[in-house]
Amino acid sequence: MASIERHMVLPQDEKPAFLTIIDKKKVNSEFLKKAEDGDKVLVYQNNQRVIIYRPSIDRIVDVGFVTIDDVKQAQE
């Protein structure tokens, strides 16, 4: 994350979900269609932000908004 912090100020009040794009062909999200294999995706649920970072060129590809509903497990 230090590489990304050189390019923008990241939220300090939560830890992001940190993902790596492995197979671009399996990406369904319209926003993530800009991503390539090897890109890093940071998702800040509370701050409703998603960041795509491309380490191969040390650049932020895109920043967007995300809303994630809390997942609740069904009680048996």
Side-chain angles (χ1 to χ4, degrees), residues 45 68-76:
Q45 182 174 356
I68 301 171
D69 293 331
D70 287 335
V71 178
K72 296 181 181 179
Q73 294 181 353
Q75 294 183 357
E76 296 179 29

Side-chain angles (χ1 to χ4, degrees), residues 8-59:
M8 74 179 292
V9 176
L10 299 175
Q12 298 298 310
D13 59 343
E14 75 174 298
K15 283 191 166 192
F18 193 74
L19 314 161
T20 301
I21 301 296
I22 304 281
D23 187 352
K24 178 183 174 175
K25 291 177 256 170
K26 293 182 179 180
V27 173
N28 294 327
S29 164
E30 193 61 37
F31 177 77
L32 292 177
K33 294 277 183 188
K34 300 174 185 177
E36 294 181 359
D37 291 350
D39 284 358
K40 307 298 180 186
V41 180
L42 283 75
V43 180
Y44 290 90
Q45 182 174 356
N46 295 336
N47 287 279
Q48 299 179 328
R49 300 262 186 209
V50 61
I51 301 164
I52 302 173
Y53 171 71
R54 186 162 299 147
S56 62
I57 60 172
D58 189 30
R59 295 283 186 256

